[in-house]
Amino acid sequence: MTTFNNSRYKLILKYPASWWRNQWREALPSGNGKIGAAVYGGVNLETIVINHEDLWHMGIKDKLPDVSDTLKETRTLIEKKQFNEANGSLTNALKKKNYHTRLASVIPLGDLKVRMSNKEVFQHYRRVLNMETGEIEVSWQEGKQRMSRRLFVSRADDVIVYELQSDEEIDSVDFQVSLHKSDSHKMHDKVEELSKTVKVKADGDFLFYSVTNDDYTDFGAVIRIVPMNGQCVTNTQSINCKQVKKIIVFIKVFVKSDHQLEWSKLQKELLLYRPNYQEHLNLHVPLHQQLFHSASLSLEGNDYTRSNEELLLEAYEGDVSIELIEKMWSFGRYLFISGTRDRGEPFSMYGLWAGDYNLMWSHRMANENIQMMYWHANVGGLTECIPPLFYYYENMLDDFRENASKLFGCRGIYIPAGTTPSIGVPNQIVPVIMNWTGAAGWLAQHFYDYYLYTDDEEFLKDHLLPLMREIACFYEDFLVKEEDGSYTFIPSVSPENTPQNFMPKTSEPIAHPMPTAMNATMDIAIAKELFQHFIEACIRTKLYLEEIEKWETILKGLPSYMLDHEGALKEWSNKEFEDRYDHRHLSHIYPLFPGRELQEESETILFNACKKAVEKRVIGAQTGWSFAHMSCIYARLHEGNKALQHLEYLSRSCLLSNFYTLHNDWRNMGLTMEIETAPVQMDANLGWVNAVQEMLLFVSENLIKVLPARPDKWKRGSVKDFRFYTGRISFSWDVDAGKFEAEIKSVRRTVVTIKLPHFVADFTYLGEEIRISKSKLGAAYIDIKMQANQSLKILNK
């Protein structure tokens, strides 16, 4: 493929995309954060699905009516313990007013179809993704003739570059571009409607393609096909190349425009490109690798040349290989950097590789999913990829303010769990979504972490602090102040669970019968975290100082967490509601993870209470993403073997041959919940990345733990350039040999406690003018003080 041939960074498949219909689910992805290309890998007929970050359709934004009077009704019913009646107060009012907003769905831009003549039956087939370069190669042999097709999406030029070559002449290669077909019968009429607007034209070396979207703007592509030998015949809507050994193809795409303008403009741009695949690759690779190699990990596997299929079969036997762990870590990061970009859209559940028109959960969901996709970014050196998440939500602040006012009569903002670009008003009109108020506070955790990693004072003052103040104002108005000065969350939802004593006595599955309760543990934890961060930010910036006393009063008055009779953390801090363990969400563990409030060093009882609570969760009720979430939790609990075990469960239940993760097991093997569909959900891909990082490094403002949850199987390994708030850390270990070495580099002034691995009994250090002292936390802990741009090496003796 290129000079980058490290098998550690390759996904190797021996099969093409094979899912019956819906082949996009098993395609190999390439992308530059703006444009995506998904390759099926067919020998005779190749399909490349093309996507663009800004291409959506079918969204409806209705005017939100004022139903804020229902909050009083809801609370009155809850006070009377009429919880089932209170559950639907808000949603029923919206339905009575015929409110109807519908989130938009992603839409494939189109397909490039490449049909080849075949002289003999294929053999030695391979489909390979080189994550180091973003290249996809499909290769095979026909007799003695070797064929290959390569593709990447250039970060340098926003162009898809495609090369087909053979060591002997190919009789015929036919290129066509078309609207992507839907495999959903529900989308038949919509696709028919779009197909009536399709325009395709072939002219010389160019294919021109456009479709008119439901907003009356055009999207499409211009494709330049350059044969390096042989001849080409231009038909009305296709180009056929004959007797060729090598063809270079360039694809430029457009959205939200007029096709007549774009066709002319993009044709001129493509004429400037020299038909040299390697030349364009050389421009792209440094930009791609700057992100891909921002951090590295090695667990010292033995054979990275094995195919995905072989690695999965081994996992099905029960032993997930080191190679699979590493490749999934690399692949999640690859998906992330290929599916989002600076000044672009945040990462989506399907990345930039969606293959249908109304995919399940293709929107941004902020009661778990979008957060999971960003957990890994800071520690993995991808902090620069976080701003699109912030600006996506900031751009809808007017909607969020209207939501707070018209739904609850509150100041500030209310972010609905589900959003799509420019649609930030309520859309999923069900109690489990509408009565949950924690999305804004949870998202603020990501934005505050971004500030701590970057020390971007301008971002803090001009963007984050005003946002946190609006969230705080919402809580100030929404929380119910009791006579004793304490506060209560009414209504309160623990996503997406119903208390056990309110589950209907039926064997029929019911999704969310009565989720509306009081004092959900997650709501308490999110608000506590938000107020703590907000007060800290006010003090740092000396802004809103006159309001701090008010916020501190609310913070002190928030409800305490509750334990059940076994000492497990309760999901609702209220005796009315019994915990239900047959559920996928782990919301009440928020104070431990993804929050950092509960640490073993300071909150031993609650730390252990989280452990008891998560152990009660029923395995058969889980999903791909919840296995990743549970793995992260066990890593925070220093249970490395259990953390690894849940990645093993994920690999045996919700992992496709191309390593896309799914919501649930489509084969009903007993590890996950059963639903008819098994939608692709890349949140688990990214959750896997974070789980591995959590096993190797814990980071908070004041404490870093090295190898806090190393599974017994990970006896040797090395990490390079993982980040903490004020610097970076690299380390290597060999447990059997008793070796450990770490290097800490400060970017800014660093005052932190470091916990070393348990097998490092004695150590020495190298570093001038660095203050190191024993910590009060115990023998394994050391306190360090470093100035900016200093380096400290720690070695066990």
Side-chain angles (χ1 to χ4, degrees):
M1 292 175 67
T2 69
T3 56
F4 301 100
N5 285 316
N6 189 342
S7 295
R8 180 188 301 275
Y9 302 120
K10 288 183 179 180
L11 301 189
I12 303 166
L13 293 98
K14 295 183 178 181
Y15 287 84
S18 302
W19 194 284
W20 173 244
R21 302 187 183 275
N22 290 294
Q23 285 179 269
W24 62 270
R25 294 166 63 99
E26 293 184 339
L28 284 181
S30 182
N32 66 357
K34 180 179 181 181
I35 301 162
V39 178
Y40 289 6
V43 166
N44 175 250
L45 177 61
E46 175 65 284
T47 299
I48 299 166
V49 185
I50 302 168
N51 280 281
H52 190 285
E53 64 174 350
D54 290 326
L55 191 50
W56 299 72
H57 71 153
M58 299 197 305
I60 298 174
K61 189 174 182 179
D62 201 359
K63 182 175 177 58
L64 181 64
D66 191 332
V67 292
S68 57
D69 59 312
T70 62
L71 180 60
K72 183 177 179 180
E73 175 190 324
T74 300
R75 287 174 171 169
T76 299
L77 290 169
I78 287 176
E79 287 170 2
K80 294 179 180 179
K81 299 187 179 181
Q82 295 176 273
F83 297 107
N84 281 298
E85 293 81 357
N87 190 49
S89 294
L90 175 59
T91 54
N92 290 339
L94 284 172
K95 290 175 182 177
K96 286 179 182 177
K97 291 182 179 290
N98 295 315
Y99 173 74
H100 181 67
T101 284
R102 183 174 67 198
L103 292 174
S105 295
V106 291
I107 174 174
L109 186 139
D111 292 350
L112 176 66
K113 300 281 189 178
V114 184
R115 185 177 293 276
M116 298 175 60
S117 60
N118 301 106
K119 297 177 181 178
E120 300 187 41
V121 174
F122 75 88
Q123 56 184 327
H124 304 304
Y125 176 91
R126 292 292 183 275
R127 190 164 51 118
V128 178
L129 167 61
N130 188 335
M131 294 180 283
E132 270 197 299
T133 63
E135 287 179 280
I136 300 163
E137 181 177 31
V138 179
S139 63
W140 69 96
Q141 198 165 318
E142 296 180 17
K144 295 182 179 179
Q145 186 176 5
R146 185 70 179 170
M147 307 275 201
S148 73
R149 299 189 298 243
R150 299 190 289 171
L151 174 148
F152 69 94
V153 184
S154 173
R155 291 181 180 275
D157 300 307
D158 279 341
V159 64
I160 301 172
V161 186
Y162 186 52
E163 178 189 74
L164 183 153
Q165 62 179 345
S166 171
D167 51 17
E168 297 179 15
E169 288 184 352
I170 306 169
D171 290 341
S172 174
V173 184
D174 193 70
F175 293 91
Q176 291 184 326
V177 59
S178 62
L179 184 70
H180 183 76
K181 292 182 178 179
S182 174
D183 289 306
S184 168
H185 69 276
K186 295 179 181 179
M187 284 289 100
H188 179 269
D189 291 344
K190 181 63 180 178
V191 176
E192 279 293 305
E193 181 183 329
L194 287 170
S195 68
K196 293 175 183 178
T197 71
V198 171
K199 297 178 179 63
V200 178
K201 180 179 73 172
D203 185 3
D205 293 341
F206 287 89
L207 284 172
F208 301 90
Y209 162 78
S210 79
V211 185
T212 301
N213 205 351
D214 56 10
D215 63 355
Y216 306 107
T217 66
D218 294 340
F219 63 87
V222 178
I223 303 168
R224 181 187 175 197
I225 297 162
V226 186
M228 306 309 290
N229 65 304
Q231 58 178 334
C232 278
V233 176
T234 302
N235 302 307
T236 305
Q237 295 187 340
S238 66
I239 294 176
N240 183 260
C241 299
K242 298 180 181 296
Q243 307 303 317
V244 291
K245 287 187 176 183
K246 187 174 184 178
I247 304 170
I248 306 292
V249 179
F250 298 104
I251 307 170
K252 281 269 191 179
V253 304
F254 63 91
V255 297
K256 297 181 179 180
S257 188
D258 179 276
H259 74 276
Q260 292 179 323
L261 297 174
E262 295 292 341
W263 281 3
S264 176
K265 178 173 77 73
L266 297 182
Q267 182 180 27
K268 292 175 182 177
E269 291 179 12
L270 290 174
L271 283 170
L272 299 176
Y273 292 160
R274 284 163 42 89
N276 185 311
Y277 180 92
Q278 190 64 44
E279 185 176 291
H280 288 275
L281 183 65
N282 290 342
L283 294 173
H284 158 78
V285 165
L287 302 175
H288 176 85
Q289 292 199 341
Q290 180 182 355
L291 293 167
F292 184 72
H293 286 309
S294 62
S296 64
L297 160 70
S298 172
L299 299 174
E300 299 193 11
N302 295 316
D303 183 5
Y304 294 94
T305 64
R306 288 187 294 167
S307 69
N308 284 22
E309 295 91 349
E310 291 170 300
L311 294 173
L312 284 173
L313 286 171
E314 184 177 10
Y316 297 155
E317 289 292 318
D319 187 17
V320 173
S321 67
I322 291 293
E323 293 86 355
L324 178 60
I325 295 292
E326 281 193 41
K327 288 196 175 188
M328 282 292 292
W329 181 80
S330 295
F331 184 52
R333 287 167 51 82
Y334 170 82
L335 289 173
F336 187 67
I337 66 171
S338 302
T340 186
R341 66 187 179 100
D342 186 28
R343 296 183 298 279
E345 289 291 312
F347 194 83
S348 294
M349 295 281 267
Y350 294 87
L352 288 175
W353 307 284
D356 218 323
Y357 293 83
N358 189 24
L359 286 165
M360 194 172 186
W361 305 319
S362 65
H363 54 271
R364 274 77 188 243
M365 193 68 176
N367 70 354
E368 168 79 21
N369 313 94
I370 201 166
Q371 287 93 339
M372 176 175 282
M373 294 189 288
Y374 280 81
W375 286 339
H376 68 98
N378 286 315
V379 169
L382 295 173
T383 299
E384 65 187 86
C385 297
I386 294 175
L389 180 68
F390 179 85
Y391 294 118
Y392 169 80
Y393 284 102
E394 189 183 52
N395 288 336
M396 291 185 281
L397 278 175
D398 286 342
D399 280 355
F400 302 153
R401 294 181 185 116
E402 185 178 18
N403 297 342
S405 175
K406 291 185 175 180
L407 296 177
F408 302 107
C410 296
R411 295 170 300 149
I413 62 171
Y414 165 88
I415 299 179
T419 59
T420 50
S422 300
I423 302 179
V425 292
N427 45 80
Q428 298 158 296
I429 311 305
V430 290
V432 70
I433 299 298
M434 293 298 302
N435 291 330
W436 182 61
T437 58
W442 190 351
L443 288 163
Q445 180 202 71
H446 287 263
F447 309 145
Y448 193 69
D449 265 4
Y450 172 79
Y451 159 68
L452 292 177
Y453 272 87
T454 61
D455 198 33
D456 187 339
E457 292 291 334
E458 182 179 342
F459 172 79
L460 177 64
K461 291 178 181 179
D462 297 344
H463 297 278
L464 178 54
L465 198 56
L467 178 79
M468 289 196 293
R469 186 174 185 273
E470 293 212 57
I471 301 170
C473 285
F474 175 84
Y475 280 129
E476 182 186 1
D477 291 356
F478 179 80
L479 287 166
V480 175
K481 189 172 184 179
E482 308 294 351
E483 291 182 0
D484 63 359
S486 65
Y487 291 88
T488 305
F489 286 87
I490 310 176
S492 185
V493 170
S494 186
E496 296 170 1
N497 207 356
T498 290
Q500 184 63 48
N501 52 321
F502 286 91
M503 287 297 294
K505 308 300 181 184
T506 175
S507 59
E508 293 296 319
I510 302 175
H512 316 294
M514 206 297 291
T516 305
M518 301 165 60
N519 282 349
T521 299
M522 171 184 249
D523 275 338
I524 299 167
I526 289 174
K528 186 183 292 188
E529 179 184 73
L530 183 280
F531 281 113
Q532 287 171 339
H533 289 168
F534 180 48
I535 291 167
E536 290 170 6
C538 290
I539 294 171
R540 290 183 192 212
T541 58
K542 295 182 172 54
L543 296 172
Y544 309 121
L545 293 178
E546 68 283 359
E547 299 182 22
I548 287 182
E549 184 177 352
K550 174 178 61 177
W551 308 128
E552 288 178 333
T553 299
I554 296 175
L555 178 60
K556 291 175 183 177
L558 292 175
S560 299
Y561 304 130
M562 290 182 64
L563 309 186
D564 69 10
H565 67 283
E566 297 180 17
L569 184 68
K570 279 179 58 60
E571 192 157 350
W572 295 270
S573 290
N574 188 291
K575 294 179 180 179
E576 296 285 345
F577 310 109
E578 297 175 7
D579 279 22
R580 176 177 171 232
Y581 305 114
D582 188 15
H583 203 262
R584 63 203 174 277
H585 276 264
L586 296 137
S587 308
H588 57 311
I589 314 297
Y590 189 100
L592 175 83
F593 177 85
R596 300 181 183 87
E597 177 188 352
L598 304 183
Q599 297 180 26
E600 186 179 35
E601 290 78 6
S602 57
E603 296 283 355
T604 305
I605 293 176
L606 287 172
F607 183 88
N608 290 328
C610 289
K611 180 179 178 181
K612 290 180 181 179
V614 72
E615 286 175 343
K616 290 187 173 188
R617 272 314 199 243
V618 176
I619 290 297
Q622 301 312 308
T623 63
W625 61 257
S626 73
F627 280 138
H629 192 147
M630 207 174 292
S631 180
C632 295
I633 290 171
Y634 276 118
R636 286 282 174 93
L637 291 168
H638 309 151
E639 297 273 358
N641 291 334
K642 288 185 178 180
L644 178 59
Q645 182 182 60
H646 283 79
L647 294 187
E648 292 174 343
Y649 292 162
L650 196 165
S651 68
R652 292 209 295 274
S653 60
C654 299
L655 198 56
L656 294 179
S657 61
N658 62 349
F659 287 173
Y660 283 1
T661 51
L662 303 179
H663 174 268
N664 59 281
D665 193 341
W666 69 106
R667 303 158 306 183
N668 299 323
M669 299 295 284
L671 280 172
T672 71
M673 63 186 297
E674 296 179 11
I675 62 173
E676 292 183 3
T677 54
V680 170
Q681 282 191 277
M682 293 181 180
D683 48 4
N685 279 111
L686 281 305
W688 183 300
V689 177
N690 188 69
V692 171
Q693 292 175 183
E694 291 277 355
M695 290 182 233
L696 300 174
L697 189 72
F698 168 80
V699 173
S700 70
E701 281 192 82
N702 303 313
L703 180 62
I704 297 170
K705 301 177 187 179
V706 182
L707 298 179
R710 178 191 59 81
D712 292 339
K713 294 178 181 178
W714 297 1
K715 295 183 179 297
R716 295 177 303 279
S718 61
V719 160
K720 184 179 179 183
D721 287 336
F722 276 18
R723 274 37 166 214
F724 57 94
Y725 288 114
T726 57
R728 60 183 66 194
I729 182 170
S730 303
F731 53 91
S732 60
W733 72 95
D734 186 329
V735 177
D736 291 340
K739 293 182 178 179
F740 175 80
E741 181 176 335
E743 183 175 19
I744 300 166
K745 294 182 179 179
S746 61
V747 175
R748 300 188 300 279
R749 183 175 181 270
T750 296
V751 180
V752 70
T753 299
I754 298 178
K755 183 182 181 183
L756 298 175
H758 68 86
F759 60 88
V760 182
D762 198 6
F763 68 92
T764 185
Y765 67 91
L766 301 172
E768 296 182 359
E769 299 180 0
I770 297 173
R771 295 180 60 182
I772 300 181
S773 57
K774 292 182 179 180
S775 172
K776 296 178 181 179
L777 295 176
Y781 300 81
I782 57 173
D783 295 335
I784 66 170
K785 292 184 179 180
M786 305 171 67
Q787 299 304 313
N789 302 314
Q790 288 187 316
S791 179
L792 170 67
K793 285 190 176 182
I794 302 173
L795 305 93
N796 62 324
K797 293 181 180 178

